[in-house]
Amino acid sequence: MVEAWIRSLIHVKHVKHLTLINCFGPFVPNSILTLDLPPKSFSHPNLKSLHLGRYTLKDPHGFDNCWNLKKLKLIAVFAEIEVFNVVLMSCPSLEVLVVDLHCHKQSGPLKIENRNLKFLCLSCCSQIDGIEVATPSLEILTVKSLSCEIEKFVIANPNLQFNRNYWATGQLYPHTSYYISCPPDQDKTSIGHEVMMSEPSEYMKFYASMSVSIDLTNTKEVDMLKEVLAAWPDEMQELEILFKNSNVPRKEGETPMGRTKRKFWEETKPFPNGHFRVHTVWLFNFSGSKEEFALASRLITQGTVVMTMKIQPASISLSNKLEIEAAVTKLKELPKGHTELSIVMF
């Protein structure tokens, strides 16, 4: 009956978005319905997004030739790791992938290879042999819970090479890595950003950590960072900010989009808001520019940073090193929103 219903919805009624969740029985493998679907069950060109929840996949045949899918969510899905790998390989057009996997046994690493993927959310409570991610276009990686060690998590992506990660704090908090990017000829925000902002309660967890890479001279990128932090629950464990090396000279008040907009440090409102708090902030590639100093000073004086701000200077000349040290000294002299806040350069 379920198979017939799925076929009718996809191949007869031509639905674009399908959510199918098994709500019957306790959440244990033996009670979850097994989907043993015919080949190409999900491959109709009209179907763009698919969400499966609380099912067991016996084999990957239902996903054969799924070039049509742009978004795939597999939540609390049980299968062999080989089945998951074939399913993901059969969906090369995916731009959004959310997986909460439960594997029956360890049998090799989970492999995610996709040139189009922009947003990836990973969670796996089962013990697995590792995860290999090769996604050159990926902008956002959210890790909720993983049972593998950091040495067995390999990611091939030039933009998501941060100093902090899911394992860095030693407490295994959920972690998000976000390469914020908005090209000059792009008016819309990225797909990954839209997904994250569409379900903030799903991807922005209380007491989690986040790493971001940003160009503070790009007003649109600053706005995107502000949107994410303003939507986050009130408290974050760690925030790593990696400043891009893209300080291209621009006219005063001009953004990369060619429009004049008030600078974020000239506004009177808190950045990102008056409620957001983070215990530790890491500033990497700090050059002491007016944008970087302004952001750091606002985080200090308005009480956004609770415990520690750690600053790593950019690799530059000795003369600039003195300028950076002077900027850090000024930051230490600012009135602090939290008296116990410490500011260190390392």
Side-chain angles (χ1 to χ4, degrees), residues 15-291:
V15 298
K16 293 183 178 181
H17 312 284
L18 176 62
T19 296
L20 193 61
I21 300 175
N22 174 30
C23 298
F24 179 77
F27 183 59
V28 291
N30 293 334
S31 69
I32 292 180
L33 182 65
T34 297
L35 287 180
D36 186 12
L37 300 173
K40 299 184 179 181
S41 293
F42 300 118
S43 64
H44 194 279
N46 277 24
L47 184 66
K48 300 303 179 185
S49 69
L50 174 65
H51 175 184
L52 293 182
R54 294 167 62 95
Y55 284 98
T56 293
L57 292 180
K58 182 179 180 181
D59 55 55
H61 301 325
F63 288 85
D64 288 353
N65 198 28
C66 275
W67 289 81
N68 50 297
L69 285 180
K70 299 291 185 180
K71 180 178 180 179
L72 176 63
K73 296 179 71 173
L74 301 174
I75 306 300
V77 173
F78 288 80
E80 303 292 347
I81 198 70
E82 295 90 344
V83 172
F84 284 125
N85 287 339
V86 174
V87 166
L88 298 180
M89 190 181 302
S90 302
C91 304
S93 302
L94 288 179
E95 296 177 343
V96 177
L97 175 61
V98 181
V99 287
D100 174 19
L101 308 182
H102 297 258
C103 305
H104 297 306
K105 61 181 180 179
Q106 292 179 249
S107 55
L110 175 69
K111 296 183 179 181
I112 302 173
E113 300 176 3
N114 190 303
R115 300 188 62 84
N116 299 301
L117 203 62
K118 301 293 192 301
F119 181 94
L120 173 61
C121 181
L122 284 174
S123 181
C124 182
C125 297
S126 306
Q127 189 68 35
I128 58 176
D129 290 332
I131 298 178
E132 299 175 5
V133 181
T135 52
S137 300
L138 192 66
E139 297 175 352
I140 298 179
L141 168 63
T142 294
V143 178
K144 288 186 175 182
S145 176
L146 289 181
S147 55
C148 70
E149 300 176 354
I150 184 174
E151 293 79 11
K152 296 183 179 180
F153 184 89
V154 181
I155 179 168
N157 183 295
N159 296 326
L160 298 182
Q161 304 302 318
F162 292 101
N163 299 281
R164 314 299 292 173
N165 53 46
Y166 171 73
W167 297 267
T169 63
Q171 301 296 325
L172 301 185
Y173 301 113
H175 181 83
T176 297
S177 298
Y178 186 5
Y179 180 80
I180 300 178
S181 177
C182 185
D185 58 347
Q186 180 176 312
D187 291 328
K188 294 180 63 178
T189 56
S190 67
I191 296 172
H193 186 82
E194 292 177 355
V195 172
M196 197 165 184
M197 295 305 301
S198 66
E199 298 181 82
S201 61
E202 179 68 21
Y203 305 117
M204 304 180 193
K205 298 300 183 180
F206 179 80
Y207 221 59
S209 60
M210 182 170 70
S211 296
V212 297
S213 179
I214 186 172
D215 174 10
L216 290 182
T217 65
N218 185 323
T219 307
K220 189 62 177 292
E221 290 190 16
V222 173
D223 287 343
M224 292 165 70
L225 174 62
K226 184 175 182 179
E227 286 179 4
V228 171
L229 296 183
W232 209 280
D234 293 346
E235 196 168 339
M236 182 185 289
Q237 173 66 14
E238 281 195 3
L239 173 61
E240 172 191 2
I241 302 177
L242 193 154
F243 300 117
K244 297 178 185 177
N245 291 318
S246 54
N247 295 321
V248 180
R250 298 189 181 96
K251 296 179 182 180
E252 183 65 26
E254 184 181 356
T255 74
M257 309 295 287
R259 298 191 296 266
T260 300
K261 188 170 183 178
R262 193 178 187 184
K263 304 292 188 180
F264 75 89
W265 58 83
E266 295 174 350
E267 297 178 354
T268 57
K269 297 179 180 179
F271 182 95
N273 57 44
H275 304 286
F276 176 73
R277 295 290 182 268
V278 56
H279 277 227
T280 302
V281 168
W282 301 73
L283 302 180
F284 285 93
N285 204 28
F286 185 81
S287 67
S289 69
K290 65 178 182 179
E291 294 89 355

